[in-house]
Amino acid sequence: MIKIKVSYERPEELERILDRLRPEVKSMKVARNQEGQFKKAYIEVKEKEGF
C-alpha cells in the first residue's frame, strides 16, 4: 500500500492532485485539524501488480 500526505492551501489544489491520481486512488481522507495556513489530506494509492 502507498500512502501520500498532501499539504494544500485551497481546495482547488487538492482537486487538481486528485484529478491526476484519480485512476489509482483507493481512498482519500481529509485531516480533522484544518487550522493554520496549510490543510492536510491523506491519499491511499492502489499498488500495481509486479512491484
Side-chain angles (χ1 to χ4, degrees):
M1 171 178 16
I2 300 169
K3 292 185 179 182
I4 302 169
K5 179 181 176 183
V6 178
S7 298
Y8 61 98
E9 290 183 284
R10 296 182 310 277
E12 302 85 36
E13 295 170 329
L14 177 60
E15 282 301 317
R16 193 169 52 214
I17 295 295
L18 288 172
D19 284 343
R20 291 180 185 217
L21 296 174
R22 184 105 29 218
E24 305 300 322
V25 173
K26 185 175 179 182
S27 67
M28 191 273 297
K29 178 181 172 186
V30 176
R32 289 185 199 177
N33 183 4
Q34 294 293 344
E35 297 176 13
Q37 180 180 0
F38 294 101
K39 296 163 181 49
K40 293 172 231 38
Y42 303 93
I43 302 171
E44 191 174 307
V45 179
K46 300 175 194 171
E47 278 195 60
K48 292 188 179 191
E49 304 253 341
F51 274 158

